Amino acid sequence: GILLYPNPGTEKLSITIDNDYAGDLNVGIQSALGIAVKESVFIKKESKMAQVSFDTASLQPGLYVVVIRMGKSIGIKKWIKL
């Protein structure tokens, strides 16, 4: 699964991906309108769990979408910035 912590949050967002996928991950944050607000991070997932963090202090309060691309699959989670 995909865990966003804290949610809702303020200055930092931690994302944990816990599944059987192994390979390249692309993780990014978009506004509710689909506009990229944090650059995508590329990581190599070689074990069951991977974690990435974003500094979100500069983002305006509101609803955001975290997009995780895993090969041909896409995981989407909502995140609220207070």
Side-chain angles (χ1 to χ4, degrees):
I2 299 167
L3 176 67
L4 308 181
Y5 183 82
N7 192 8
T10 55
E11 297 180 4
K12 183 178 176 183
L13 172 63
S14 295
I15 303 162
T16 301
I17 300 112
D18 184 2
N19 60 22
D20 292 330
Y21 175 79
D24 294 331
L25 291 178
N26 176 337
V27 183
I29 302 176
Q30 298 178 354
S31 71
L33 299 176
I35 299 166
V37 294
K38 284 291 179 181
E39 284 293 318
S40 292
V41 173
F42 295 93
I43 58 174
K44 185 85 150 168
K45 185 171 179 280
E46 297 175 340
S47 63
K48 188 168 173 56
M49 189 175 295
Q51 192 165 17
V52 63
S53 295
F54 286 94
D55 177 357
T56 56
S58 64
L59 297 179
Q60 294 296 314
L63 176 67
Y64 293 88
V65 178
V66 176
V67 179
I68 299 122
R69 291 178 175 84
M70 302 170 278
K72 295 181 180 180
S73 299
I74 298 177
I76 297 174
K77 289 284 193 175
K78 294 178 184 174
W79 180 71
I80 297 172
K81 164 79 188 275
L82 297 179

